[in-house]
Amino acid sequence: MSHQVLVINCGSSSLKFAVLGGHSNCPILEGIAERLDSPEQSFITFKHNGAKSVSALPGGDHQAAVGAIKEWIHNNKSAAIQLAGIGHRVVHGGELFSESVIVDERVLAGIEQCANIAPLHNPAHIKGIKEAQKQFGKLPHVAVFDTAFHQTLSADQYLYPIPMRLYREHHFRKYGFHGTSYRYISMQLAELSPTYGKQNALIAHLGNGASVCAISGGVSVDTSMGITPLEGLMMGTRSGSLDPSLLSFIAHAEQLSMDEALNILNKDSGLKGISEKSNDCRTLEMAQASGDTQADLALTMFASRAAKHLASVATNLESLEHLIFTGGIGENSALIRSRICQRLKTLGIILDETKNESVPRGEISCIAPINAVIKVWIIPTNEELLIAQDTLHLINKSIEPSPNT
Ligand code: AMP
């Protein structure tokens, strides 16, 4: 059987894809279709063997994007792509899904049911899954949920202190996100540390979206994101946690609806809102280095909030053996890692600044002093790889003969 999997990450206006399953962990093919369902011209980018091609996408919707991927695979026989199945990233699995599943009618109905708490994401996922089912009909499809890893949180952590009736009737609670990344990092850590099963770790997934997670014995015990990915850390364009009354103040002051005010917190806040320049950490680091004090303030606020949330989720751990940085910022910004660790000295976290500054890009590195009690790691995340692995695992399980046959 082939070991290749097409991983699809479907957003409302974009569709990211990758084919994994070669001899290395690197994708055989990857790309993105952008500006889907937009009045502007949509286009699709393919990257294969170091070569990149960009072309217009006639039709400009999810259907056209999936069709273009199928056509590329068909037309590029030398790439030798033979898919075993398709893995779909799904942002919200609510309380219905605590692990990855093979997609059937019941699963699709479940993803649809969770759309009330993920109105921006789940409808796009359903569109992508249905389209891929239509075009790659014979292949099995697997759904991998961002929320699933945090279904181990205890009620005292996942409940909001609001009337219980709202949880019972509407499932309003903390779900947490970035679960695929945290599970991947946790598996990497289990290989690095033989006693990991008895240890505790904090993970900071810092990218354009950012969150932290406390893990005990390989299981998520607390995380910073909530019912949506807006809660918790300051992010690229999201404010993170703030006094909820502010939403109503913004709406009244600017004569906006609640949804429009929420849009400001999701799209115009965070690094972008404070710097008034960019949501991109690298751009802000360059601006800060040339004396831009607003960029510096944005980066300081980002690091201080990340440290605060790490300390907060650490209250659910009995000890601490590992701190891991991952995501575009966590893996690449020595400045942010240093500023965060400086604020976590009270937890006993110490960084070797020389190692922090000189780590090779894209590799697992330990950046704590050699004898440090708490190991500080950089571990590059690979959500697509885990989605591909889950997909293959479930497909193999579904074709294994049962013990009674
Ligand atoms: P992600 O969402 O995980 O892809 O991460 C995107 C973020 O990582 C953006 O804010 C980038 O500016 C940031 N990033 C990527 N490379 C670097 C770098 N070398 N230094 C600082 N930030 C970086």
Side-chain angles (χ1 to χ4, degrees):
M1 193 186 94
S2 155
H3 294 292
Q4 295 176 357
V5 173
L6 170 63
V7 176
I8 291 183
N9 180 356
C10 213
S12 53
S13 64
S14 72
L15 187 153
K16 287 189 202 148
F17 58 93
V19 175
L20 290 109
H23 294 299
S24 81
N25 287 344
C26 293
I28 303 163
L29 170 71
E30 63 183 320
I32 182 167
E34 291 170 277
R35 296 197 193 139
L36 301 179
D37 290 325
S38 146
E40 292 174 86
Q41 173 65 58
S42 329
F43 55 92
I44 186 160
T45 306
F46 291 93
K47 283 190 212 161
H48 169 64
N49 257 351
K52 182 171 157 180
S53 68
V54 184
S55 49
L57 186 66
D61 55 11
H62 294 78
Q63 185 174 9
V66 178
I69 299 168
K70 193 177 171 190
E71 195 179 307
W72 192 98
I73 294 173
H74 180 77
N75 291 343
N76 291 269
K77 298 268 184 316
S78 61
I81 293 177
Q82 277 199 313
L83 298 175
I86 302 187
H88 298 266
R89 174 189 177 229
V90 178
V91 165
H92 222 305
E95 291 183 314
L96 296 176
F97 301 103
S98 55
E99 56 189 8
S100 305
V101 287
I102 293 210
V103 176
D104 57 18
E105 284 307 314
R106 189 192 56 87
V107 168
L108 271 175
I111 298 172
E112 201 143 19
Q113 203 179 314
C114 299
N116 70 322
I117 41 179
L120 298 179
H121 294 103
N122 279 25
H125 298 322
I126 292 165
K127 227 189 225 180
I129 293 173
K130 286 191 171 164
E131 201 43 56
Q133 281 180 324
K134 218 189 276 174
Q135 303 211 29
F136 293 91
K138 287 188 197 128
L139 294 175
H141 295 253
V142 166
V144 180
F145 300 91
D146 267 12
T147 46
F149 186 64
H150 303 297
Q151 280 297 297
T152 46
L153 259 59
S154 56
D156 59 306
Q157 294 308 317
Y158 71 66
L159 284 173
Y160 289 117
I162 57 175
M164 274 301 267
R165 181 182 66 75
L166 294 172
Y167 166 63
R168 276 195 305 269
E169 291 177 14
H170 306 289
H171 306 281
F172 293 161
R173 51 159 280 185
K174 176 192 275 279
Y175 288 96
F177 297 86
H178 288 142
T180 316
S181 174
Y182 290 129
R183 188 154 60 92
Y184 177 81
I185 300 294
S186 189
M187 285 161 66
Q188 295 284 304
L189 209 49
E191 282 181 22
L192 292 166
S193 179
T195 54
Y196 178 61
K198 295 194 182 98
Q199 294 182 329
N200 295 309
L202 293 175
I203 308 179
H205 178 114
L206 309 177
N208 201 28
S211 71
V212 299
C213 181
I215 296 191
S216 183
V219 164
S220 170
V221 292
D222 197 7
T223 189
S224 57
M225 282 178 169
I227 188 165
T228 76
L230 179 58
E231 190 179 342
L233 279 70
M234 172 174 165
M235 309 180 211
T237 63
R238 294 179 214 145
S239 62
S241 295
L242 36 72
D243 183 337
S245 313
L246 199 53
L247 190 64
S248 141
F249 289 151
I250 294 172
H252 282 118
E254 301 270 304
Q255 300 190 336
L256 301 173
S257 68
M258 278 299 168
D259 280 350
E260 286 166 334
L262 198 55
N263 223 20
I264 293 184
L265 301 187
N266 269 307
K267 303 227 165 105
D268 297 326
S269 301
L271 290 173
K272 180 183 173 194
I274 295 298
S275 69
E276 295 183 306
K277 183 170 241 93
S278 172
N279 63 309
D280 190 275
C281 180
R282 202 172 356 185
T283 306
L284 295 183
E285 283 192 18
M286 287 191 292
Q288 177 250 11
S290 49
D292 184 327
T293 51
Q294 229 170 303
D296 186 52
L297 175 64
L299 294 169
T300 303
M301 287 174 68
F302 181 90
S304 120
R305 275 155 179 78
K308 241 184 232 184
H309 284 281
L310 281 164
S312 163
V313 297
T315 57
N316 288 292
L317 301 176
E318 288 187 359
S319 62
L320 182 61
E321 283 79 27
H322 307 277
L323 166 64
I324 302 96
F325 288 103
T326 194
I329 299 173
E331 290 166 32
N332 297 304
S333 172
L335 178 82
I336 293 290
R337 290 192 299 262
S338 170
R339 286 191 178 180
I340 291 174
C341 290
Q342 274 166 24
R343 289 171 183 269
L344 291 174
K345 283 191 188 133
T346 42
L347 292 188
I349 289 167
I350 309 165
L351 200 62
D352 180 325
E353 291 291 353
T354 313
K355 284 187 193 166
N356 182 42
E357 293 282 347
S358 58
V359 282
R361 208 186 151 104
E363 286 179 22
I364 296 178
S365 313
C366 183
I367 51 173
I370 264 177
N371 296 324
V373 177
I374 302 170
K375 303 279 177 243
V376 183
W377 301 92
I378 298 168
I379 304 184
T381 194
N382 195 339
E383 292 159 275
E384 287 78 16
L385 183 62
L386 194 58
I387 294 173
Q389 286 171 349
D390 274 10
T391 304
L392 277 181
H393 172 71
L394 285 172
I395 293 172
N396 287 333
K397 219 166 108 182
S398 72
I399 56 178
E400 265 172 21
S402 78
N404 298 327
T405 53

